[in-house]
Every structure is written in C-alpha cells, then in structure tokens.
Amino acid sequence: MNLNRKSYFFIMILLLISIFFMGCSSENTASDKEAKEGTDAVKATGGTIKVAYPTQPQTLDPHATTADATRDAAKLIYEALVTLDSNYEVIPQLADSYEVSEDRKTITFKLREGVKFHNGNDMTAEDIVASMEKWGKDSAELGEHQWTVEDERTVTLTLTEPSSLIMYFLADQGKIAAIMPKDIAESAETTGAAEYIGTGPFKFIEWKQDEVIKFEKFDDYVPDTDETDGLGGKKEALVDAIDWQFVPDSSTRVNGLISGQYHFAHMLAYDSIPQVENSPGSVVDIWPYGIEGLVFNKKQGVFSDVKMRQAVNAALDMEVIMSSAFTDKEFYQLENSLFLPSQKAWYSDAGKENYNQKDMEKAKALLKEAGYKGEEVVILTSRDYEHHYNAAVATQQQLEELGITTKLDVYDWPTLLERRDDPEAYDMFFTGFSTTSTPNQYAFLDSQTAWPGWTENSEIDRLLGEIKVEEDLEKALALTAEVQTIMWEDLPIINTGHNSRVSGYSEKLQGYNQMLGPNFWNVGLNE
C-alpha cells in the first residue's frame, strides 16, 4: 500500500467525522484539503488533459438522466443556482444568495451579475426560469411548484407544499439542475437539449461518437469570487482543453494511464490496483460510492409479482455477489442500509432480517407460491462497468441454482440505458446508486419518478411525502426506517451492499480532486 492509499484512509476518517457532525452526506471527496491547497498552488498551465472514461453518455443534458456518465462530463459545461460545498451543505453557485421563507414554501434567488453563456449571451432571470421549468418536469420531489421572474436579477420558486429538503433537491448532483439559455431549454426534446451551452469553465466543442468529447477553456468564464469549496466557490479552467475519450476496456485504461497516454483513468478494474500502485508516476484514488443495486422490472414480466422478487432476495448470497464485483472487502461492505453508517441523520439497519438470507428452501417455496413456470428471466448488463457485469454473472448463477431460467443480455452502457426504459426488454439489471443527501433523492423509491423498474408503492410514497415536510430530525429518521423496512419487503430493488470506486491519475495532474465524480476545474498539467 503506497502513501496515497494511507492518505486516503486518513482522509476518510476526517471526512466521516465531518459527516457525523453535519448529519447528512453523500460520496466523499478524495481530498478536500488537497483541492483547496491545489487551488491556491496551481496556476494556469495550458495543455490538454486526456481522460479515459469507460463509457459514453446518452446525452450531455443532465436534466435528462441520472447516469453518472452524463453527470461527470456535464459538470464541465453546466452550473446550477446552488451546489454543494465540501461538507455537502448547500451553497450558492449562479445565485448570489437565496432566502427561504418561514413557511418553507417560497425561495427567493438573487442572481450573480455578469455571468455569460458559452454563446456569448448574458445569463438572465428568464434563462433561469426556462431551465428550471424544464428540469422540474421530471423532478417529482418538488411537487407542484412555480418559477417566476421577479426582476432582471431575481427569481422565486413557489411550492404548493412546504419542504424541508428543497435546497438539497436543487443542489442534487444526481440530476443537475443545470442552467442553459432559454431558447435551448424551451426547444429541448424529452431526450435532452439539442445544444450543450452552459456557463461553466469549459465549453463543449464536438462529440465523435464512440471516440471522444472535446471541451475547451471558456475564456469569458466569470468565476464565483468565494473561496473554492467542494463543488462551489472559485473555479478556473487552468488547461486549454480536455479530451474525454471513451475507453471501454479496463486493461486499455490501465495501460494507457501507466504509459502516459492518459492523465486520468476512471473506474479501474479492482484487480489492477496493485499494478497501478507499483507504477511510478501514477496515483490510485479510492472513494466510497454508495450501493450496488439489482433493479427489478415491476411493470411487466415475472417480477411484477412481489413473491418472485422475494424469492430472488431469499436466495442470494451477497458475499458471493459483492466479492465477484469488487474483489476484496477493502472495496465493499455487506450492508443493507441506503445510507452510510456515518450519515447519522438517515442511517438505519431496518429491514436487515431480509438481507443476505441465503435460504434456498424459502426461496423455492416463494417461487412455488408465485406459480413460476420456467419463464426466461432477462438480465441486462454491460461490460463497460466490469463490476456490474460480474455482479450480474454471479446473480445469474445463483438464480439458475434456484431453478430460474436466465439469459444474460450484454450491451454497451448507452444501449443498456436505452433498453432499461423499455419494460418489454428485460426483467432485471444492476446499477450503482451514489449515496444521497436525503432518502427522497433515490429515484427508485418514488413512484412519481417513473424511473426504470417502475416502483409503485403508495406507502413508500406517503412516507417520502412526510419526510419532505418533517422538520424534526428524529421523526424524519423514524420515517426513513419505515421506508427501508417496506423497501426490503416490497423490493423495488435489492441493495446487495455498499462499495467503493477506484480511479487512477497521473502525478502530472496538479490539484486534481473528486467529489461526486472527477472534477477538472482548478487542475493544472505539469508536462
């Protein structure tokens, strides 16, 4: 274990202490301290950062998807009214300030002056309202709401029902509430915007399908004057360009990082970590991610029957699945909660009696109750993310032992994302869920999101509604425990366990940091 990994664990301890005091959290950063120091020390260097990313996104419009592949690249282009600091607290970004009314139904935003879009136009209050109306169409957690232009620099959000969590929803990085020009927001199709124009430090240049997305420094970028903190504060493009290359093969990403072809390689294969650690000039970056989820298609097919879902859950050996996916206990934990143990405001082990049962007799009895007649179960998966693929293979083997006929359908990740929207195309798939700041941000829980898998549970919906307006943290935690208990009975997904993710980067990258994915602002290149 090299010095960097030791540093990681030290940083982890500091971070978890921080999370304990702040009460809620999400993924942690590899080094917030490093990021802040890097901002102070790193100066513009020019050059092009070469990124090796395992898959290409469906779109760069973050309103249109919760996929990490979109989020990670879109953060270069887009900014939102508010974002998260290094303690995962909400801070202004394109808003200069905001004020929440006492009844928690109205939020007034004062906008920063002088902010420009990549097309050269000034950002206006009308752009904000158009963007947020577009984003809000598929954001069920807001409930009924209205955005209003008050004057050139002021917009308001009015909610029908009060919300204690509204600012976390607006700062959520799972589906960034990105601001774009009014005409682009209003003309966008349901699949996303036709043009990618934001206010961020890098602008979109071109997208060569299956090859690369090119970004360039936005010379007219107007940074926040506050100190860099997490995803907010002062941001600068210190390099001339970023080439975001799609490299599905994990060995190619590793070899490219070691040879110097890439400055950054996302999602290293877990068994390649010792190789990277022992390579001079390369750094391994490990961070806690969230949960590995097996998502059922509940709209049609055999898993529309909860007995079938319960049969699968009764049979699965989570140790086998998680070790197949993440190789070593250093990178996974057998944990049934939706939240990290350090997230005291939300953590609960409710429902743990239904986790990791490994009870084949119970599973077979449930199959019989469900009337299973040997129908083929289609498992969607992709080798773009090896851990999802390996989890799917391990699950397939266990289902076959149970007596369920299975078929593994393997696609590239963008195709999988398309097919998971089609209820006729599959029965289950694996995906990851970053730890969120609130239970309401797990899209698979809320029926109104119509997220792939199509959860329909009125009790969970009712409880999420009560959590949203609850001001007492203890009561909110009790409600979250109820949600989790029902989740482990109704099984919209199976949380197979918590896991960490791994990336690698060149020591030539100065000031690199990650928080909710890699971030390349305030990062220089020492070639």
Side-chain angles (χ1 to χ4, degrees):
M1 181 177 292
N2 64 21
L3 177 62
N4 190 58
R5 294 181 72 187
K6 291 178 179 176
S7 299
Y8 161 77
F9 286 112
F10 175 70
I11 291 163
M12 274 293 302
I13 291 172
L14 292 179
L15 178 69
L16 294 179
I17 291 172
S18 171
I19 291 172
F20 174 86
F21 284 106
M22 75 186 182
C24 64
S25 175
S26 182
E27 295 177 23
N28 79 333
T29 171
S31 174
D32 297 323
K33 181 174 182 293
E34 178 181 310
K36 289 182 179 180
E37 289 178 347
T39 300
D40 293 337
V42 180
K43 304 299 181 185
T45 60
T48 300
I49 295 176
K50 305 284 188 182
V51 172
Y53 202 87
T55 184
Q56 72 174 345
Q58 287 176 295
T59 173
L60 287 178
D61 181 350
H63 294 183
T65 178
T66 57
D68 290 353
T70 293
R71 177 200 65 191
D72 291 345
K75 282 192 293 184
L76 296 171
I77 305 172
Y78 294 108
E79 297 173 307
L81 283 171
V82 292
T83 190
L84 299 170
D85 69 12
S86 54
N87 287 325
Y88 295 84
E89 295 294 347
V90 178
I91 56 174
Q93 191 171 56
L94 291 176
D96 186 59
S97 63
Y98 64 87
E99 182 177 347
V100 182
S101 64
E102 286 189 11
D103 65 2
R104 295 172 291 133
K105 288 185 174 181
T106 303
I107 301 94
T108 302
F109 298 89
K110 290 289 185 183
L111 306 181
R112 279 172 46 204
E113 291 187 275
V115 175
K116 288 187 176 296
F117 285 112
H118 299 155
N119 60 8
N121 295 335
D122 292 333
M123 182 190 75
T124 68
E126 290 189 348
D127 297 314
I128 301 292
V129 169
S131 298
M132 298 310 293
E133 286 178 343
K134 172 179 176 295
W135 176 80
K137 287 178 182 175
D138 297 319
S139 301
E141 63 269 27
L142 266 68
E144 292 186 25
H145 65 280
Q146 181 175 359
W147 289 89
T148 305
V149 174
E150 300 295 343
D151 60 41
E152 290 182 352
R153 291 191 56 232
T154 309
V155 298
T156 55
L157 168 61
T158 305
L159 306 171
T160 301
E161 299 290 335
S163 173
S164 300
L165 306 177
I166 182 62
M167 297 311 299
Y168 287 102
F169 297 158
L170 296 175
D172 184 20
Q173 298 296 301
K175 198 178 80 167
I176 301 170
I179 302 303
M180 55 189 71
K182 177 183 176 182
D183 59 330
I184 292 176
E186 291 182 341
S187 64
E189 304 287 342
T190 55
T191 52
E195 296 180 80
Y196 304 125
I197 295 177
T199 61
F202 291 91
K203 59 184 180 181
F204 171 82
I205 299 301
E206 68 171 326
W207 184 340
K208 296 181 180 178
Q209 285 293 318
D210 301 319
E211 184 179 343
V212 64
I213 299 176
K214 289 182 175 291
F215 304 95
E216 285 184 2
K217 176 180 180 179
F218 177 39
D219 290 329
D220 293 329
Y221 178 66
V222 180
D224 193 335
T225 55
D226 291 340
E227 181 182 3
T228 303
D229 192 357
L231 297 174
K234 184 178 181 180
K235 299 196 292 187
E236 292 183 280
L238 301 180
V239 296
D240 298 325
I242 296 174
D243 285 354
W244 198 275
Q245 302 180 53
F246 308 122
V247 187
D249 182 71
S250 58
S251 297
T252 304
R253 292 199 300 277
V254 168
N255 292 332
L257 174 67
I258 292 172
S259 70
Q261 181 181 0
Y262 308 123
H263 300 108
F264 175 84
H266 196 49
M267 302 291 290
L268 301 182
Y270 292 88
D271 57 8
S272 71
I273 293 172
Q275 182 187 1
V276 178
E277 286 178 336
N278 292 322
S279 301
S282 299
V283 180
V284 172
D285 184 21
I286 309 169
W287 74 98
Y289 176 79
I291 63 177
E292 180 73 0
L294 175 59
V295 182
F296 292 107
N297 176 359
K298 300 168 288 296
K299 180 171 281 189
Q300 67 183 66
V302 296
F303 294 120
S304 59
D305 185 339
V306 68
K307 294 289 184 185
M308 283 294 296
R309 304 197 295 271
Q310 291 172 341
V312 171
N313 186 48
L316 294 184
D317 184 333
M318 305 306 185
E319 180 74 56
V320 171
I321 294 171
M322 295 299 284
S323 62
S324 298
F326 302 102
T327 70
D328 190 283
K329 288 186 175 179
E330 183 178 359
F331 308 119
Y332 71 87
Q333 299 82 42
L334 296 184
E335 172 63 71
N336 80 299
S337 178
L338 290 169
F339 293 94
L340 300 174
S342 51
Q343 291 178 267
K344 301 297 182 183
W346 302 114
Y347 177 81
S348 168
D349 65 359
K352 65 180 181 182
E353 66 277 10
N354 289 323
Y355 176 73
N356 198 24
Q357 299 174 70
K358 299 178 286 186
D359 188 339
M360 277 291 180
E361 293 307 313
K362 177 181 178 181
K364 289 178 180 177
L366 285 163
L367 273 190
K368 188 175 181 181
E369 286 184 48
Y372 177 66
K373 295 183 174 61
E375 297 93 329
E376 184 178 73
V377 165
V378 175
I379 308 173
L380 282 185
T381 191
S382 171
R383 301 205 71 147
D384 289 1
Y385 292 111
E386 286 289 337
H387 54 283
H388 292 329
Y389 177 79
N390 291 334
V393 171
T395 298
Q396 180 187 30
Q397 291 172 347
Q398 293 183 42
L399 296 186
E400 292 282 350
E401 290 174 16
L402 176 59
I404 293 178
T405 305
T406 64
K407 175 188 176 187
L408 213 59
D409 264 4
V410 185
Y411 300 94
D412 60 68
W413 190 251
T415 302
L416 184 150
L417 294 180
E418 289 178 10
R419 293 187 68 80
R420 77 181 189 180
D421 288 331
D422 180 0
E424 296 184 355
Y426 68 95
D427 295 293
M428 57 171 61
F429 66 94
F430 270 97
T431 191
F433 298 93
S434 299
T435 301
T436 62
S437 300
T438 73
N440 300 59
Q441 290 163 283
Y442 284 113
F444 60 81
L445 287 174
D446 191 338
S447 304
Q448 296 182 69
T449 65
W451 193 81
W454 303 281
T455 299
E456 285 287 347
N457 189 301
S458 58
E459 269 301 285
I460 291 178
D461 291 342
R462 179 185 65 79
L463 290 165
L464 291 177
E466 292 183 18
I467 291 169
K468 189 169 71 171
V469 300
E470 182 55 63
E471 293 185 83
D472 185 300
L473 290 178
E474 289 189 9
K475 292 180 180 176
L477 174 57
L479 292 168
T480 301
E482 286 188 59
V483 168
Q484 198 167 289
T485 298
I486 296 172
M487 187 192 86
W488 279 105
E489 293 169 349
D490 190 54
L491 297 165
I493 73 163
I494 294 176
N495 164 21
T496 60
H498 292 188
N499 64 90
S500 297
R501 299 290 173 85
V502 185
S503 294
Y505 61 93
S506 166
E507 289 182 344
K508 294 177 180 178
L509 284 187
Q510 300 175 321
Y512 169 74
N513 76 93
Q514 66 81 18
M515 177 178 169
L516 297 167
N519 301 313
F520 293 102
W521 53 82
N522 303 339
V523 177
L525 188 58
N526 184 23
E527 290 282 16

